[in-house]
Amino acid sequence: MNMPNEDTANTLMQRIAVLEQISESPDFLCRRFATAEHRRANDQVAEWMKAAGLTVQEDQIGNIIGRFEGIENDAPAIMMGSHLDTVVKAGKYDGMLGVLCALAAVEHFAKRGERLPFALEVVGFADEEGVRYHSTYLGSKAITGKLDVAELDRIDGEGISMRNALIQFGKDPEQLHTAKRQASDLRGFIEVHIEQGPVLERENLPVGVVTSIAGATRLAVQLHGEAGHAGTVPMHLRRDTLCAAAESICAIERICKADPELVGTVGRIDADPGASNVIPGHTTFTVDVRSPSDEKRLRAIDEIKHHILNAAASRGVEAQIEQPHAEPSIDCDADISRIMAEAVGNHCTSVQWIPSGAGHDTAAMLEMTPSGMLFVRCKGGISHHPDESIEAEDGAIAIKVLIETLQKLAQQ
Ligand code: GLV
Ligand code: MN
Ligand code: MN
């Protein structure tokens, strides 16, 4: 049997480079959900899928899905893939690597006309990062039927509702429910993803198997105080929202630093009106807290809310705290992970099992179908950063592991 070779690795890296060019900014990679660049990325991936002999559909949330039928038409599918949206100033592998490794694996079977006892599907999820609407897994949740239609009322930073963004993207929000798949349509889901951490590099291993995905909560905080003259309003008469935010942010760092199983990040803050000689009357910031322990995460969130309310109240500032995202931690499917581990054992001196601190579409898919994840070694452990990098040979090994996993599943 011909397995992926240097050409496969080159094609993978060339496709990654093509998707990297599809960005909202000329200076860095940023591709948010339902933008013109999302449209171009979907169209490009659809073109590759069609060239590989897959039938292609885009569902009503904007997931792009290519299908290669099994021995019998309409058999349940093993779906594979990841997301095509990115963070701001993103690396080019987060998400895209999983879509393109999945495509390469299906191409392997399609090229040979080799049908399996299940269909193969490649998915490019529409939104995993949640940059535009602060609510993650929009694509995978639409597929599992867990996407609440109330989400359509969310507004982005430019005041565009998700409903209107989808209409501009060419979708019909009233038909969102049609993106839902039946559990019986799927036999499982597999996601390849850059590790985004240092473990595989430290262990000198190209790939590893994910055990679980950490739980996460996001908060959106709004502080309303009073703007005023920086020179004339005495300190004790101020209602300075940026000071309340600063005190809250330090508390978040303190709370999360106190436990190695917690991480907490304030990734965005905006102060209004934003002038050096004006007291900030209105401040918004985001909070992102993760933990493998749901109990610790929930306790930390309670404590953080309490600190924000106190920091605000002590300055006569009103605080509004919304929680746009909360997901529990979840274990990957034991059977799929074991089969993947057997395939990993063919290419690695040992099988590394790794818990994921990052969120992934697999977490959403696990609610519907047995799902597993394969991590690919990440240079320097750097991710969510333009320096994110993998070796082409590691990508080729991930593709081989996917193919062998599918072959093993076919024998079951
Ligand atoms: C996705 O990358 C996340 O974990 O925020
Ligand atoms: Mn990411
Ligand atoms: Mn990702």
Side-chain angles (χ1 to χ4, degrees):
M1 175 197 48
N2 293 329
M3 281 299 262
N5 50 24
E6 209 174 307
D7 284 350
T8 318
N10 289 340
T11 303
L12 175 69
M13 298 311 255
Q14 279 160 14
R15 286 174 173 168
I16 295 268
V18 170
L19 290 182
E20 184 189 15
Q21 294 309 312
I22 306 178
S23 175
E24 292 175 61
S25 164
D27 302 324
F28 50 79
L29 175 56
C30 174
R31 198 167 55 237
R32 294 170 307 149
F33 168 66
T35 54
E37 289 69 28
H38 179 194
R39 161 60 50 229
R40 281 173 56 207
N42 271 13
D43 290 350
Q44 175 61 77
V45 171
E47 196 181 304
W48 289 326
M49 287 171 166
K50 283 180 195 154
L54 280 60
T55 50
V56 181
Q57 283 187 345
E58 190 182 81
D59 67 17
Q60 292 296 339
I61 192 75
N63 294 318
I64 191 86
I65 303 173
R67 182 173 168 103
F68 179 65
E69 290 294 345
I71 295 165
E72 286 177 20
N73 276 352
D74 299 327
I78 300 277
M79 185 183 264
M80 295 171 291
S82 190
H83 56 99
L84 287 171
D85 68 320
T86 75
V87 291
V88 183
K89 299 192 177 168
K92 60 185 167 194
Y93 298 96
D94 178 359
M96 286 151 275
L97 179 66
V99 181
L100 298 176
C101 284
L103 178 58
V106 178
E107 265 172 338
H108 169 88
F109 293 100
K111 241 190 235 161
R112 290 161 184 74
E114 190 181 335
R115 307 267 170 194
L116 300 177
F118 38 78
L120 296 174
E121 290 192 12
V122 179
V123 60
F125 290 117
D127 169 280
E128 186 270 349
E129 303 286 8
V131 173
R132 187 165 182 188
Y133 289 103
H134 300 296
S135 159
T136 71
Y137 307 154
L138 291 179
S140 41
K141 278 187 177 166
I143 286 184
T144 63
K146 293 280 161 67
L147 183 60
D148 191 340
V149 287
E151 299 275 326
L152 291 170
D153 295 325
R154 279 187 190 281
I155 305 292
D156 73 1
E158 285 102 47
I160 302 168
S161 70
M162 195 188 295
R163 178 175 280 100
N164 282 338
L166 276 172
I167 292 169
Q168 280 167 23
F169 192 69
K171 301 284 124 187
D172 178 356
E174 301 308 316
Q175 296 300 314
L176 190 57
H177 60 277
T178 61
K180 176 176 166 20
R181 303 288 293 270
Q182 299 304 319
S184 57
D185 286 350
L186 297 179
R187 262 192 65 176
F189 173 75
I190 303 175
E191 180 170 12
V192 173
H193 204 282
I194 185 168
E195 182 198 340
Q196 309 184 276
V199 176
L200 290 168
E201 190 175 69
R202 200 179 56 211
E203 298 297 328
N204 197 22
L205 292 166
V207 294
V209 185
V210 177
T211 52
S212 59
I213 298 167
T217 301
R218 290 189 188 183
L219 303 178
V221 183
Q222 290 194 45
L223 300 173
H224 309 277
E226 198 166 20
H229 197 293
T232 60
V233 184
M235 293 307 283
H236 70 284
L237 293 180
R238 294 183 179 205
R239 296 170 62 210
D240 186 328
T241 56
L242 192 49
C243 287
E247 188 180 322
S248 306
I249 293 166
C250 290
I252 292 164
E253 184 189 40
R254 202 168 51 246
I255 291 163
C256 294
K257 254 189 174 169
D259 190 318
E261 283 202 320
L262 279 172
V263 285
T265 306
V266 173
R268 174 154 194 168
I269 181 162
D270 293 287
D272 182 84
S276 59
N277 58 350
V278 184
I279 299 161
H282 186 231
T283 297
T284 59
F285 63 97
T286 60
V287 183
D288 180 312
V289 174
R290 322 265 181 125
S291 177
S293 156
D294 289 335
E295 198 190 321
K296 288 183 179 180
R297 175 176 50 90
L298 296 177
R299 211 179 317 125
I301 287 291
D302 279 350
E303 234 184 293
I304 286 169
K305 285 181 179 169
H306 177 78
H307 274 277
I308 295 170
L309 294 175
N310 277 351
S314 68
R315 293 174 175 82
V317 164
E318 281 165 42
Q320 254 177 293
I321 306 176
E322 283 175 31
Q323 191 167 297
H325 174 76
E327 289 292 332
S329 69
I330 192 157
D331 290 337
C332 291
D333 179 73
D335 284 338
I336 290 205
S337 303
R338 178 182 46 75
I339 292 168
M340 227 165 15
E342 283 171 22
V344 167
N346 295 337
H347 303 280
C348 298
T349 47
S350 66
V351 177
Q352 183 72 41
W353 295 88
I354 316 173
S356 173
H360 298 289
D361 290 298
T362 297
M365 295 303 287
L366 272 161
E367 292 197 28
M368 178 184 204
T369 193
S371 306
M373 280 195 86
L374 185 74
F375 270 172
V376 177
R377 171 165 48 191
C378 168
K379 186 161 180 232
I382 297 167
S383 184
H384 279 188
H385 189 282
D387 290 346
E388 191 179 78
S389 176
I390 70 157
E391 295 296 332
E393 303 85 68
D394 292 356
I397 291 176
I399 295 166
K400 285 182 196 170
V401 168
L402 267 189
I403 292 169
E404 289 170 11
T405 302
L406 294 169
Q407 287 165 337
K408 284 170 192 286
L409 286 167
Q411 282 156 16
Q412 281 193 332

